[in-house]
């Protein structure tokens, strides 16, 4: 049940989902953290005209849903499967929480 709820929260929050693996409880997502304080360059007229791209690109993460002692836990992992405890990971968890409990 938790897998389904997290999946719905990911979809409603607008994450770009690349893949899902129910056997490992993982969603493979891309997330553009707009709250890092890093300035995202806006394209000028010539950049738009000649097809220049913005410098910001979404990062790839795994969102893992797991059960332990009757409780469901959601973790944010990097692409290598290491648990992330960064500000970006906390923002992802906050977005998911808000999507599950409006």
């Amino acid at each position: 049940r938790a897998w389904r709820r997290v999946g719905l929260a990911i979809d409603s929050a607008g994450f770009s989902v690349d893949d899902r693996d129910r056997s490992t409880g993982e969603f493979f997502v891309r997330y553009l953290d707009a709250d890092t304080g890093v300035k995202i360059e806006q394209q000028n007229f010539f950049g738009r005209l000649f097809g220049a791209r913005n410098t910001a690109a979404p990062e790839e993460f795994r969102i893992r849903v797991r059960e332990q002692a009757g409780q469901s836990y959601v973790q944010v992992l990097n692409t290598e499967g290491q648990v992330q405890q960064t500000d970006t990971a906390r923002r992802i968890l906050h977005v998911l929480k808000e999507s599950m409990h409006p």
Side-chain angles (χ1 to χ4, degrees):
R1 200 167 104 179
W3 165 266
R4 185 176 183 280
R5 288 191 68 200
V6 171
L8 291 172
I10 287 170
D11 291 340
S12 70
F15 284 86
S16 177
V17 179
D18 292 332
D19 199 5
R20 302 168 192 250
D21 185 349
R22 190 174 179 123
S23 67
T24 62
E26 293 181 348
F27 297 87
F28 298 83
V29 301
R30 284 179 279 135
Y31 177 74
L32 178 60
D33 191 353
D35 198 22
T36 62
V38 176
K39 183 180 176 187
I40 298 173
E41 289 183 26
Q42 297 297 319
Q43 294 179 6
N44 62 22
F45 172 75
F46 292 107
R48 289 188 304 270
L49 183 65
F50 294 108
R53 297 179 170 243
N54 286 340
T55 58
E59 291 183 66
E60 295 179 1
F61 293 96
R62 296 181 193 181
I63 298 174
R64 178 186 292 160
V65 181
R66 63 183 182 90
E67 187 268 332
Q68 182 178 351
Q71 297 281 338
S72 296
Y73 295 91
V74 178
Q75 297 175 306
V76 177
L77 313 166
N78 64 11
T79 56
E80 289 81 35
Q82 298 168 331
V83 175
Q84 299 297 288
Q85 296 181 354
T86 62
D87 289 339
T88 300
R90 283 188 276 283
R91 280 190 280 278
I92 289 171
L93 292 173
H94 179 75
V95 167
L96 292 176
K97 181 181 174 184
E98 291 297 312
S99 294
M100 287 194 290
H101 303 286

